[in-house]
Amino acid sequence: MNIAGLVLAGGKSSRYGSQKLFADHQGLPLVMRSFIALELAGIDDVYAVTNSALAPAFTNIGVPVICDTTPYEGPLIALQHAMEKGSALGHEWFQVLAGDLPYVHSAMIKQLVNQARSTPGADIVLPISGTRAQPLHALYHRRCLRYFPELGQEEKRMRALYQIATAKHVSFSADEPAFININFQSDWKE
């Protein structure tokens, strides 16, 4: 399997009050947790999917960048753009992670990759935490690109994609820490 890691890291962090991606978490910028988890899961090609304003910060730390040409349009549009670029580079699967996941870990990613290997017809390997879908942690096959024209210009929700694609659901407990993200400064529990 040829897998690229995509860390979605182009948001404004308006609810947080400042750019949360670079907030210190245990001595590292928060966004590095996602890069490290992907690396430890054995994914060699990892990209920051970001906007032109944040791209230099990732370039400076040696992370390859896929610069979203339509910034601030949401994760679905960023995913489409990154998958188009990544498919042109020969990637077949795309493991997505948000950039604001302090407790994400490689075991979760490895479990999704194993499910993709054992479910060859799946377009998406979608983790479900309790009863909640976690599309910003999912593994997407490049076949998903065929669904984007069906979504229309006005549809920007990740749910629209996993409702029309063939999705393999992978269950995790409702309290799995890998799915915790930071939206507000008060979300920090340490």
Side-chain angles (χ1 to χ4, degrees):
M1 287 176 65
N2 186 336
I3 304 172
L6 303 176
V7 177
L8 302 183
K12 294 179 185 177
S13 296
S14 55
R15 293 178 285 180
Y16 192 78
S18 62
Q19 186 48 259
K20 64 184 171 183
L21 296 172
F22 305 109
D24 182 85
H25 176 63
Q26 299 176 345
L28 289 173
L30 174 58
V31 71
M32 291 305 295
R33 297 294 165 191
S34 295
F35 291 119
I36 291 168
L38 289 163
E39 279 183 27
L40 291 175
I43 298 174
D44 295 326
D45 296 322
V46 179
Y47 304 89
V49 181
T50 192
N51 57 60
S52 59
L54 293 175
F58 292 104
T59 303
N60 288 342
I61 59 172
V63 175
V65 170
I66 295 176
C67 206
D68 190 358
T69 57
T70 55
Y72 312 119
E73 292 293 320
L76 183 65
I77 303 300
L79 174 62
Q80 178 185 6
H81 179 76
M83 287 179 67
E84 289 168 350
K85 295 275 188 193
S87 291
L89 296 172
H91 298 297
E92 177 184 19
W93 284 94
F94 299 90
Q95 174 63 60
V96 171
L97 289 178
D100 61 353
L101 307 170
Y103 310 110
V104 68
H105 52 82
S106 62
M108 183 267 309
I109 298 166
K110 289 177 182 180
Q111 187 172 349
L112 298 178
V113 170
N114 288 336
Q115 286 295 319
R117 284 190 175 111
S118 65
T119 315
D123 298 319
I124 301 171
V125 179
L126 180 65
I128 308 292
S129 176
T131 60
R132 188 171 179 199
Q134 299 290 342
L136 296 183
H137 294 73
L139 189 58
Y140 296 86
H141 193 277
R142 67 179 166 210
R143 287 186 301 266
C144 288
L145 287 170
R146 69 182 175 207
Y147 299 112
F148 284 97
E150 294 177 41
L151 297 177
Q153 294 291 354
E154 62 284 338
E155 183 55 68
K156 295 181 182 174
R157 303 192 62 59
M158 296 293 283
R159 180 179 321 144
L161 178 58
Y162 68 76
Q163 286 180 334
I164 63 173
T166 303
K168 165 69 175 166
H169 293 182
V170 181
S171 295
F172 290 87
S173 71
D175 61 350
E176 168 57 57
F179 302 112
I180 294 172
N181 72 311
I182 302 296
N183 288 314
F184 301 93
Q185 293 200 19
S186 61
D187 289 340
W188 292 105
K189 297 187 188 317
E190 299 178 299

